[in-house]
């Protein structure tokens, strides 16, 4: 029999016990022997009976001199009076009492010798022990297992009493040679080998020995873990990865276009990433940074480096909402650079190209520092029969002016008034008049009842701090409109406005976008059927118009012969996306990466390691950057993410609004509502979060709906919307979009908005039943606000006034530092809840406690690094014994290390 023997083969464990054991996942000898005690009781026998009460339970041995059974109403009390075996004048008898335990009275009789364990109390003149653990001394072995020693107490289990479990383990230890279970430790980890360690941990001979053997075993556990991590790491770096050699042109363009400079911390981690990307071995890096510290920007820069070097990059988010948001943010920043981006989620697939004019827009523009500019609805262009024309149906969407951006602009005449040829001349001339003075002109077309422009506003003057101030779209359009109105009214002897007040503008997002708009505008008269293909239309302008006009007209004629290409056709003709954004579905659905060079995994703690592995188990191995906003205590970083290099953004961007956190009991909810209404009136937006334990339950959805109605009532006339896990995806997305656009004022939501959602105008968060969330989760939730310049407020509402809850919530009131909160959370809940080792892919820790034994983990890590530094291949004779530690299950060996 050895440690791997299946317990069933032993034949002496009764069947019901076997069942109970298998429920605990205990199947082999090893499993049972590593079912470690949860605590110990000192049952070393006291030499004599105590004279008074005891603080701790004690172990005593005595003779039963009297028993009696008493009844009080329905209650039965059985008493047994014990006397010390060598009683003398001063000894005082002890009364053991059991309430309502029938079998005890059958077990115990006068004249027997009894061993008991329990706390002694004084009751009047008597010393009593209620419900002691006890054993009749008949069989000395049984006594030896349970009493007169430091006795192990195991984690409670159903169908398996402490005694039974203890008995099984005791017997097993007598039969098995446990020496092979001992993990060999390098000298630097001190206390040598201990072949008997497994026996001692269950049945230690002294407290001293227990302390030593526990440390020995914990070190063994940690050392094995660190060796496996090191092996994984070595294996990874031995893989062939992509060497990304980019000059960083795209990244530079990107960072230059940002309305803010990178923080020093962002710059530093970006450099770390850059360094890794250039190496041939695959990057495996963890990027941690508190909520809102700007990880996404760093990830984008990293992806651009990969893209520039010719690879694809993937960005994976844990939720649909977050994937959508990333996609929007990426398009906002990267469309102008002409990057091909695709969204791949379970429910939505989209490529940013091709973009027929106005047919699709990103309503999901990013946030930072952009001002709404001219907006409006586009004139509903009548489509001529037989000619397919991009549709103009449009919602009003906020647009943003950006430096060096190009825009496609359209505006129409009031009431579709038809412009005379002379009027069209005036309009075109006036457009050309400001060309190169206020804007660069790429294309213009004056249609009979509307105008198209493709322009890039120029710098008007230099503002403070070296910022250039550009001509605004509204200014440009205003001059064109008012100048031409005057002129036209003059020559046509008319009066009143010529133009609609509104204009429509569309940010050009990429080179191909520009080309597309250019084609559209310059071909518009022919395609709209205003003139026949053979005719000329003099009110179209583009650079070098004189030279190209003929060619254009000809190509238009060709175009018209065939119809426009279908989207499928377009896609087929498009090269592969350079960046793919998605959810888990990236892993499981048929997304084929043509050339994946960098995978960024956002909010890693929501992903399992297995999933990460699946994404990266391709050849050549892509670089991997995992990001987390759940700060991880250092010991955990060394283990769960031990195979990763760590970069930390430890600095918040400046100008972040402060977040003030208030604790509130439910009866004072009114105060918060008043405050909320004030903020909404001031133009801010709010999240109202309530916990749903299990979103799959109908009941909860119902509760959510009810909650929602109440909030609508409370916040009337502000617009509220409801968001929870059961809302189907397209709706979910639409709801987020409306909130982002400011059409909705308050979002009543479950934690589906927990991670990553970034809406700077939302400055109030009210969390109901806050006590039901964990600290880290509350911190994540709170991170949704405080993202703009305004002061934000977070209300933690709870009806639970227990000290435990108050202590938990007060942590949040006191600090917004994610690391402090993570430590506090860890302390309050233990690491199991924060981050399960189960998902780490590492062996489960059975004895060691990452928190309590942090020092030992650090020691084990240092020892491992030292060992492998001196002997990377474990070739030295004295190190052969460590090889077994890293032999993987599949029989692979350590040969990857070189
Ligand atoms: P997180 O680390 O939580 O993923 P994000 O990357 O979403 O943070 O950034 C939060 C917000 O801060 C975004 O609106 C982003 O544009 C902005 N931001 C990022 N870096 C900076 C910076 N250096 N200065 C100012 N704002 C920044
Ligand atoms: Mg984020």
């Amino acid at each position: 029999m050895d440690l791997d023997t299946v317990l069933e083969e032993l034949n002496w464990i009764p069947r019901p016990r076997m069942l109970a054991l298998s429920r605990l996942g205990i199947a082999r000898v090893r499993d049972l022997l590593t079912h470690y005690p949860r605590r110990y009781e000192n049952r070393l026998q006291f030499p004599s009976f105590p004279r008074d009460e005891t603080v701790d339970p004690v172990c005593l041995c005595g003779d039963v001199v009297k028993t009696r059974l008493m009844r009080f109403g329905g209650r039965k009390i059985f008493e047994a009076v014990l006397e010390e075996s060598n009683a003398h004048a001063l000894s005082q008898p002890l009364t053991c009492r059991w309430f309502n335990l029938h079998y005890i009275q059958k077990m115990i009789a006068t004249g027997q010798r009894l061993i008991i364990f329990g706390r002694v109390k004084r009751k009047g003149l008597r010393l009593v022990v209620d419900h002691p653990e006890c054993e009749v001394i008949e069989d000395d072995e049984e006594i030896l297992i349970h009493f007169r020693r430091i006795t192990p107490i195991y984690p409670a289990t159903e169908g398996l009493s402490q005694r039974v479990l203890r008995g099984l383990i005791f017997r097993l230890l007598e039969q098995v040679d446990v020496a092979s279970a001992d993990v060999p430790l390098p000298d630097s980890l001190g206390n040598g080998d201990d072949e008997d360690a497994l026996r001692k941990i269950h049945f230690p001979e002294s407290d001293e020995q227990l302390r030593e053997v526990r440390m020995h075993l914990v070190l063994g556990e940690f050392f094995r873990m660190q060796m496996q991590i090191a092996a994984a790491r070595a294996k990874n770096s031995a893989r062939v990865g992509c060497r990304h050699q980019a000059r960083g042109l795209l990244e530079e363009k990107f960072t230059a276009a940002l309305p803010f400079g990178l923080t020093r911390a962002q710059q530093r981690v970006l450099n770390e990433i850059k360094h890794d990307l250039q190496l041939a071995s695959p990057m495996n890096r963890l990027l941690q940074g508190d909520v809102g510290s700007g990880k996404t920007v760093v990830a984008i820069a990293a992806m651009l480096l990969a893209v520039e070097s010719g690879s694809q990059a993937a960005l994976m988010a844990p939720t649909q909402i977050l994937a959508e948001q990333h996609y929007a943010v990426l398009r906002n920043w990267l469309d102008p650079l002409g990057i091909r981006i695709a969204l791949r989620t379970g429910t939505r697939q989209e490529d940013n190209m091709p973009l027929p004019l106005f047919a699709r827009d990103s309503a999901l523009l990013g946030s930072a520092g952009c001002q709404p500019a001219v907006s409006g609805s586009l004139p509903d262009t009548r489509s001529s029969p037989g000619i397919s024309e991009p549709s103009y149906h449009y919602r009003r969407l906020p647009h943003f002016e950006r430096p060096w951006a190009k825009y496609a602009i359209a505006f129409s005449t009031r009431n579709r008034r038809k412009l005379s040829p002379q009027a069209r001349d005036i309009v075109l001339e006036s457009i050309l008049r400001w060309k190169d003075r206020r804007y660069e002109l790429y294309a213009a077309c004056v249609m009979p009842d509307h105008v198209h422009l493709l322009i890039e506003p120029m710098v008007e003057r230099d503002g403070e701090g070296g910022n250039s101030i550009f001509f605004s779209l509204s200014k440009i359009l205003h001059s064109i409109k008012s100048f031409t109105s005057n002129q036209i009214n003059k020559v046509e002897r008319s009066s009143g406005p010529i133009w609609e007040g509104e204009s429509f503008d569309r940010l050009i997002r990429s080179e191909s976008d520009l080309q597309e708009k250019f084609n559209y505008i310059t071909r518009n008269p022919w395609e709209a059927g205003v003139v026949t293909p053979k005719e000329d239309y003099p009110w179209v302008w583009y650079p070098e118009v004189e030279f190209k006009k003929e060619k254009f007209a000809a190509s238009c004629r060709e175009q018209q012969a065939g119809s426009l290409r279908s989207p499928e056709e377009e896609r087929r003709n498009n090269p592969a996306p350079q960046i793919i954004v998605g959810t888990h579905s990236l892993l499981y659905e048929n997304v084929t990466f043509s050339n994946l060079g960098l995978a960024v995994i956002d909010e890693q703690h929501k992903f399992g390691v297995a999933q990460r592995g699946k994404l990266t188990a391709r050849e050549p191995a892509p670089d991997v950057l995992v990001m987390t906003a759940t700060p991880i205590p250092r010991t955990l970083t060394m283990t769960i993410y031990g195979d990763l290099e760590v970069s930390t953004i430890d600095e918040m961007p400046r100008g972040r609004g402060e977040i003030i956190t208030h604790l509130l009991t439910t009866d004072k909810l009114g105060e918060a509502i008043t405050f909320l209404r004030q903020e909404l009136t001031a133009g801010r937006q709010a999240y109202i979060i309530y916990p749903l334990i299990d979103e799959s339950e109908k009941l909860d959805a119902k509760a959510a709906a009810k909650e929602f109605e109440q909030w609508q009532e409370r916040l009337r006339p502000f617009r509220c919307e409801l968001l929870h896990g059961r809302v189907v995806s397209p709706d979910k997305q639409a709801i987020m979009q409306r909130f982002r656009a400011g059409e909705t004022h308050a979002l009543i939501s479950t934690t589906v908005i927990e991670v990553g959602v970034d809406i700077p105008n939302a400055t109030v968060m009210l969390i109901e039943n806050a006590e039901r969330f964990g600290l880290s989760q509350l911190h994540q939730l709170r991170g949704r606000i405080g993202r703009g310049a305004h002061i934000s407020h977070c209300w933690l509402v709870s009806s639970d006034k227990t000290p435990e809850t108050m202590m938990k919530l007060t942590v949040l009131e006191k600090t917004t530092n994610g690391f402090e909160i993570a430590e506090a959370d860890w302390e309050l809940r233990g690491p199991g809840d924060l981050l399960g080792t189960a998902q780490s892919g590492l062996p489960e820790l059975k004895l060691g406690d990452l928190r309590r034994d942090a020092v030992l983990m650090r020691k084990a890590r240092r020892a491992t690094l030292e060992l492998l530094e001196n002997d990377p291949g474990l070739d030295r004779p004295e190190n052969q014994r460590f090889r077994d530690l890293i032999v993987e299950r599949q029989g692979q060996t350590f040969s990857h290390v070189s």
Side-chain angles (χ1 to χ4, degrees):
M1 176 169 58
D2 64 19
L3 289 168
D4 289 317
T5 306
V6 178
L7 290 173
E8 254 162 0
E9 288 172 17
L10 300 183
N11 288 330
W12 55 263
I13 302 177
R15 195 148 166 76
R17 306 270 139 90
M18 276 309 310
L19 287 176
L21 285 171
S22 71
R23 266 200 301 275
L24 290 174
I26 295 175
R28 290 169 193 275
V29 171
R30 183 190 306 278
D31 302 335
L32 190 49
L33 293 186
T34 54
H35 189 71
Y36 292 116
R38 181 166 52 90
R39 60 185 181 88
Y40 300 83
E41 279 175 0
N42 186 338
R43 297 187 185 177
L44 290 169
Q45 193 183 322
F46 262 53
S48 62
F49 278 22
R51 306 275 164 80
D52 212 332
E53 293 198 333
T54 63
V55 179
D56 297 314
V58 290
C59 183
L60 303 167
C61 183
D63 299 319
V64 181
V65 293
K66 194 164 91 186
T67 66
R68 64 173 175 160
L69 184 69
M70 293 174 297
R71 286 171 212 271
F72 292 100
R75 251 152 80 99
K76 278 191 220 166
I77 302 179
F78 179 71
E79 285 187 356
V81 179
L82 295 192
E83 265 180 13
E84 270 181 274
S85 305
N86 317 315
H88 49 90
L90 284 177
S91 4
Q92 198 177 351
L94 200 65
T95 309
C96 301
R97 307 192 299 182
W98 290 269
F99 302 91
N100 292 331
L101 278 183
H102 308 289
Y103 69 90
I104 282 284
Q105 72 199 62
K106 294 191 188 116
M107 214 176 96
I108 295 172
T110 310
Q112 280 174 336
R113 182 161 286 187
L114 217 57
I115 186 151
I116 64 154
F117 180 75
R119 198 168 84 80
V120 180
K121 294 185 292 190
R122 178 169 286 287
K123 280 270 142 73
L125 290 174
R126 296 194 302 173
L127 287 175
V128 300
V129 185
D130 286 332
H131 282 267
E133 293 232 17
C134 81
E135 184 89 25
V136 179
I137 298 186
E138 289 163 357
D139 169 358
D140 265 357
E141 202 205 20
E142 273 295 303
I143 301 273
L144 259 182
I145 297 175
H146 305 289
F147 296 94
R148 290 180 176 156
R149 63 160 64 252
I150 296 170
T151 308
I153 307 292
Y154 295 95
T157 57
E158 207 179 310
L160 215 52
S161 71
Q162 289 292 332
R163 288 179 69 98
V164 169
L165 199 55
R166 201 179 293 131
L168 286 177
I169 290 173
F170 188 88
R171 232 146 260 147
L172 207 52
L173 280 168
E174 285 184 328
Q175 296 175 13
V176 190
D177 175 17
V178 293
S180 64
D182 194 43
V183 174
L185 292 177
D187 292 345
S188 58
L189 288 182
N191 59 6
D193 296 349
D194 187 349
E195 304 200 330
D196 226 16
L198 209 47
R199 197 183 321 278
K200 290 182 191 158
I201 191 75
H202 288 283
F203 298 99
E205 278 154 25
S206 65
D207 288 342
E208 178 67 33
Q209 187 187 61
L210 175 59
R211 249 193 315 278
E212 267 172 25
V213 76
R214 183 177 181 281
M215 186 165 95
H216 176 77
L217 287 172
V218 168
L219 277 174
E221 211 172 33
F222 286 179
F223 180 59
R224 181 194 290 273
M225 184 183 241
Q226 289 300 337
M227 286 293 277
Q228 289 185 357
I229 290 167
R233 204 188 259 246
K235 189 171 156 195
N236 187 65
S237 62
R239 288 182 69 188
V240 182
C242 331
R243 195 191 281 275
H244 297 289
Q245 264 149 341
R247 286 174 57 202
L249 298 177
L250 281 174
E251 178 228 332
E252 259 166 44
K253 265 197 210 168
F254 163 66
T255 46
L258 288 173
F260 45 77
L262 295 185
T263 60
R264 250 175 312 157
Q266 280 172 318
Q267 195 61 61
R268 188 189 65 237
V269 301
L270 185 55
N271 285 337
E272 289 164 0
I273 293 167
K274 232 185 242 182
H275 170 81
D276 282 4
L277 287 174
Q278 284 164 359
L279 299 178
S281 57
M283 169 168 82
N284 245 328
R285 192 168 275 281
L286 171 72
L287 173 54
Q288 56 174 347
D290 210 340
V291 191
S293 60
K295 295 183 293 294
T296 315
V297 169
V298 172
I300 295 176
M303 290 195 290
L304 288 177
L305 288 167
V307 166
E308 191 184 322
S309 75
S311 310
Q312 259 181 338
L315 175 56
M316 298 170 66
T319 65
Q320 168 97 13
I321 287 179
L322 205 49
E324 298 270 0
Q325 178 180 283
H326 277 320
Y327 179 63
V329 168
L330 256 61
R331 289 203 46 190
N332 185 38
W333 295 122
L334 302 187
D335 277 1
L337 300 181
I339 307 291
R340 296 185 300 277
I341 308 170
L343 177 70
R344 298 282 182 270
T345 69
T347 49
R348 199 156 87 93
Q349 320 250 305
E350 183 181 307
D351 290 65
N352 65 336
M353 306 218 292
L355 280 179
L357 182 57
F358 302 133
R360 190 156 25 177
D361 197 349
S362 154
L364 307 149
L365 284 171
S367 41
C370 301
Q371 291 302 313
V374 192
S375 71
S377 51
L378 195 77
D380 164 2
T381 304
R382 288 155 303 174
S383 50
S384 315
I387 295 167
S388 66
E389 193 175 16
S391 57
Y392 280 179
H393 62 96
Y394 247 80
R395 243 177 305 176
R396 287 157 161 274
L397 297 168
H399 284 263
F400 301 95
E401 284 177 68
R402 302 226 247 109
W404 310 116
K406 302 177 181 65
Y407 300 87
I409 297 169
F411 54 93
S412 66
T413 58
R414 174 145 307 187
N415 300 324
R416 293 287 152 144
R417 166 180 168 163
K418 223 171 158 80
L419 297 172
S420 65
Q422 196 180 8
R424 289 179 225 177
D425 282 339
I426 292 171
V427 177
L428 187 57
E429 267 164 36
S430 93
I431 290 170
L432 293 172
R433 181 190 154 115
W434 282 294
K435 173 172 111 57
D436 299 330
R437 287 161 57 193
R438 296 194 166 181
Y439 43 81
E440 263 188 69
L441 188 64
Y442 292 90
C445 170
V446 184
M447 295 289 279
D449 61 357
H450 67 277
V451 177
H452 290 289
L453 293 175
L454 193 55
I455 62 168
E456 178 180 308
M458 295 170 67
V459 175
E460 183 174 7
R461 62 195 153 83
D462 287 331
E464 283 159 44
N467 286 332
S468 300
I469 297 183
F470 289 75
F471 282 102
S472 74
L473 291 184
S474 53
K475 189 164 180 178
I476 290 167
L477 291 172
H478 181 76
S479 337
I480 295 175
K481 284 179 179 176
S482 63
F483 181 80
T484 53
S485 290
N486 283 338
Q487 293 283 308
I488 293 169
N489 278 335
K490 215 187 268 171
V491 300
E492 299 196 339
R493 291 170 207 286
S494 55
S495 66
I498 307 285
W499 307 104
E500 291 286 4
E502 293 172 323
S503 308
F504 183 82
D505 64 295
R506 165 77 166 79
L507 182 68
I508 302 297
R509 299 174 171 283
S510 61
E511 279 303 313
S512 66
D513 200 3
L514 179 67
Q515 188 62 48
E516 198 128 14
K517 302 294 178 297
F518 180 85
N519 291 348
Y520 179 82
I521 292 174
T522 51
R523 291 168 187 180
N524 195 237
W526 293 274
E527 296 209 328
V530 172
V531 284
T532 66
K534 295 210 169 71
E535 277 175 295
D536 188 22
Y537 191 82
W539 301 284
V540 173
W541 185 95
Y542 49 90
E544 303 174 72
V545 64
E546 263 61 50
F547 301 102
K548 285 199 186 148
K549 210 179 230 173
E550 244 326 291
K551 238 166 78 191
F552 246 100
S555 84
C556 285
R557 272 169 232 134
E558 268 166 41
Q559 265 277 317
Q560 234 187 345
S563 63
L564 288 174
R565 283 188 291 178
S566 68
E568 287 73 36
E569 238 176 310
E570 288 287 356
R571 190 155 301 146
R572 229 176 304 127
N573 285 314
N574 261 332
Q578 292 161 300
I579 295 181
I580 301 179
V581 183
T583 48
H584 301 156
S585 62
L586 274 189
L587 297 176
Y588 302 115
E589 287 175 19
N590 50 352
V591 173
T592 42
F593 298 105
S594 52
N595 177 23
L596 184 64
L598 170 64
V600 180
I601 303 174
D602 195 12
E603 309 296 353
Q604 159 76 16
H605 64 291
K606 303 256 158 175
F607 271 173
V609 163
Q611 288 165 306
R612 196 205 318 162
K614 180 150 185 177
L615 183 74
T616 57
R618 44 182 73 241
E619 292 293 338
D623 287 317
V624 176
L625 180 67
V626 303
M627 306 200 288
T628 178
T630 307
I632 304 157
R634 262 195 62 218
T635 340
L636 280 180
T637 318
M638 285 190 302
T639 53
I640 290 165
Y641 296 136
D643 59 330
L644 305 177
E645 308 289 331
V646 181
S647 289
T648 306
I649 303 185
D650 50 8
E651 177 186 5
M652 282 297 204
R654 266 172 304 162
R656 273 296 150 74
E658 190 190 344
I659 303 178
I660 300 171
T661 302
H662 317 261
L663 301 191
L664 197 72
T665 47
T666 314
D667 47 316
K668 299 227 176 77
L669 188 62
E671 284 175 27
I673 295 172
T674 312
F675 180 83
L676 241 144
R677 296 187 58 98
Q678 277 168 15
E679 287 286 289
L680 296 185
T681 310
R684 303 284 84 76
Q685 288 165 282
Y687 298 103
I688 291 148
I689 312 292
Y690 55 92
L692 279 194
I693 307 302
D694 178 2
E695 302 220 347
S696 66
E697 280 184 20
K698 273 195 193 125
L699 207 67
D700 279 331
K702 224 166 154 186
K706 203 170 134 223
E707 204 77 31
F708 174 61
E709 261 169 42
Q710 258 186 6
W711 276 107
Q712 256 180 330
E713 204 53 48
R714 288 166 180 160
L715 299 180
R716 196 172 299 270
F718 296 103
R719 272 191 303 280
C720 303
E721 283 207 86
L722 175 66
L723 186 66
H724 54 76
R726 289 167 65 91
V727 173
V728 294
S729 194
D731 294 348
K732 209 183 261 179
Q733 190 196 326
I735 290 170
M736 282 316 289
Q737 222 158 293
R738 283 192 291 271
F739 190 63
R740 208 181 292 275
E743 291 167 25
T744 316
H745 303 112
L747 201 59
I748 322 295
S749 169
T750 61
T751 52
V752 290
I753 62 129
E754 183 185 343
V755 283
V757 172
D758 186 20
I759 297 165
N761 192 44
T763 58
V764 188
M765 173 168 287
L766 186 142
I767 303 177
E768 291 215 69
N769 292 92
E771 76 280 358
R772 292 214 218 162
F773 297 102
L775 270 182
S776 291
Q777 201 179 12
L778 287 170
H779 178 61
Q780 272 289 329
L781 282 168
R782 184 172 59 176
R784 302 307 109 219
I785 56 173
R787 299 189 150 240
H790 300 278
I791 291 187
S792 292
H793 293 266
C794 177
W795 300 82
L796 302 175
V797 183
S798 167
S799 50
D800 178 2
K801 292 178 197 166
T802 58
E804 231 171 70
T805 298
M806 293 319 283
M807 202 161 74
K808 180 168 95 176
L809 298 182
T810 319
V811 173
L812 289 163
E813 203 181 25
K814 276 197 232 131
T815 180
T816 51
N817 180 315
F819 280 91
E820 281 173 30
I821 290 166
E823 290 284 354
D825 198 18
W826 208 25
E827 196 168 325
L828 290 171
R829 302 202 300 171
D833 282 352
L834 184 63
L835 279 163
T837 32
Q839 61 162 249
S840 70
L842 291 166
E844 190 193 348
L845 289 174
K846 293 199 155 177
L847 192 59
D849 175 320
L850 289 178
R851 188 179 169 72
R852 191 172 132 201
D853 303 315
V855 175
L856 297 183
M857 181 61 90
R858 245 166 273 155
K859 259 176 114 172
R861 185 165 178 87
R862 226 176 301 130
T864 307
L865 296 178
E866 218 170 87
L867 176 72
L868 293 175
E869 197 167 299
N870 295 327
D871 185 12
L874 295 181
D875 298 321
R876 294 188 196 161
E878 72 270 25
N879 290 337
Q880 295 293 320
R881 60 199 184 118
F882 299 127
R883 285 182 163 244
D884 275 351
L885 295 180
I886 42 189
V887 173
E888 289 173 31
R889 291 236 170 81
Q890 297 84 1
Q892 286 171 304
T893 61
F894 201 35
S895 57
H896 304 286
V897 179
S898 55

